[in-house]
Amino acid sequence: MFFLPARAGARLCVHHRPEERSATGLAVVFVPAFAEEMNKSRHVVAQTARRLCDMGIGVLLIDLYGCGDSSGDFAEATWETWQEDVALATGWLQESGYRRLMLWGMRLGGLLAAECAVAAPALYERCVLWQPVISGESFLTQFLRLRVANAMLSGAAAGTSVGQLRNCLLAGEAVEIAGYRLSAALATGFISRTLLPARPGCPIEWFEVVAERGRAASPATARLVDDWRAAGSTLSLNTVEGEAFWGTANSAELVQCPTLVEATAMAASAWT
């Protein structure tokens, strides 16, 4: 664990470095989920990072600007700053001697990772997506609903709606949601983004968690996968049985997802 100097302060990083005798020269930058989803998923991410490290793959986990223990306030974060953080983490791995690089993103971090992969097609060998957000606008709506639901539970729902909260953001005002102060700059940064505006130049490894074994991915996911493949993308879609361990609706107890860890490790056996 260390702090990586950045343009604004420093970013907390955890580097899983494989033993020299098993090292493959391959390393992965993990781009975390958003807000409380990041906290809910840390344990599953850490389990997977350790598994990949045991397979000779280096992993760098980074807290983006304003998140976790990194510098800055969440209310000051922007999509562009987070893009810079991904580039910063990538550069550090290159300076550390890794010859091959990949991106691994979860939920909103998957949307960010895919965008970074499109922007640097020659840099990354592969982009791994865990339950990625497909539409930034839809994700924002879901996040705003947390504020509406909390207002209803507290009996102060009058005058609070998703539309009103969205209008506040579009007017340049910050909105407090579930303990996070969402700025207009960050909201507008991802509201117009979709997965993907352009197909990536590297293969995509997509993992979707479903409630029951054998259940297909969501229709929205299936449509997007078909579109990418029709456009010439190399994409593998993997569905695994498990619970939505990142979900903010879960209890205070952490939810495990061993099937996702194992499926990712199995896929990784072909990456080296």
Side-chain angles (χ1 to χ4, degrees), residues 10 13 19 35 91 94 97 101 106 131 155 157 210 217 232 266:
C13 295
E19 295 183 8
Q94 290 176 310
L101 299 170
M106 178 174 180
Q131 207 78 21
V210 295
M266 183 176 297

Side-chain angles (χ1 to χ4, degrees), residues 14-266:
V14 177
H15 181 210
H16 293 264
R17 183 190 295 275
E19 295 183 8
E20 186 173 349
R21 62 184 179 183
S22 64
T24 62
L26 175 63
V28 185
V29 175
F30 177 71
V31 188
F34 181 79
E36 195 60 22
E37 289 189 353
M38 177 186 73
N39 297 324
K40 292 279 190 175
S41 59
R42 279 193 189 275
H43 61 299
V44 179
V45 171
Q47 291 165 12
T48 307
R50 289 191 291 268
R51 284 296 303 277
L52 296 179
C53 185
D54 289 342
M55 300 172 69
I57 302 171
V59 182
L60 186 67
L61 311 178
I62 182 171
D63 283 358
L64 303 176
Y65 178 85
C67 303
D69 291 314
S70 285
S71 299
D73 190 282
F74 186 83
E76 300 171 345
T78 66
W79 191 258
E80 291 71 25
T81 301
W82 287 353
Q83 288 175 318
E84 293 176 5
D85 288 348
V86 174
L88 178 71
T90 299
W92 185 87
L93 287 173
Q94 290 176 310
E95 293 172 0
S96 299
Y98 289 102
R99 305 182 306 277
R100 302 163 56 203
L101 299 170
M102 293 174 45
L103 286 172
W104 165 27
M106 178 174 180
R107 300 288 292 140
L108 192 66
L111 182 60
L112 177 58
E115 185 171 300
C116 292
V118 168
L123 184 56
Y124 302 105
E125 287 190 8
R126 188 176 300 268
C127 185
V128 180
L129 304 177
W130 272 13
Q131 207 78 21
V133 168
I134 293 177
S135 165
E137 183 173 4
S138 296
F139 181 78
L140 177 63
T141 297
Q142 294 169 6
F143 192 58
L144 295 179
R145 283 175 180 159
L146 292 176
R147 167 72 178 270
V148 176
N150 289 336
M152 292 178 64
L153 290 174
S154 66
T160 303
S161 70
V162 169
Q164 289 169 325
L165 295 173
R166 183 188 297 271
N167 288 338
C168 288
L169 290 168
L170 294 178
E173 301 176 26
V175 175
E176 187 84 21
I177 303 173
Y180 294 88
R181 189 166 178 79
L182 178 64
S183 70
L186 181 55
T188 56
F190 64 75
I191 191 174
S192 62
R193 285 174 160 84
T194 58
L195 186 76
L196 278 164
R199 71 182 181 90
C202 63
I204 296 290
E205 196 88 34
W206 185 321
F207 294 88
E208 192 92 354
V209 178
V210 295
E212 300 173 356
R213 180 179 300 177
R215 177 178 292 186
S218 68
T221 295
R223 285 193 299 270
L224 182 56
V225 168
D226 288 343
D227 289 344
W228 282 0
R229 287 173 174 165
S233 292
T234 301
L235 190 149
S236 175
L237 177 61
N238 310 273
T239 57
V240 298
E241 180 185 7
E243 294 185 55
F245 59 92
W246 62 88
T248 55
N250 292 332
S251 66
E253 292 187 18
L254 296 178
V255 176
Q256 302 295 332
C257 195
T259 51
L260 180 58
V261 177
E262 293 304 314
T264 306
M266 183 176 297

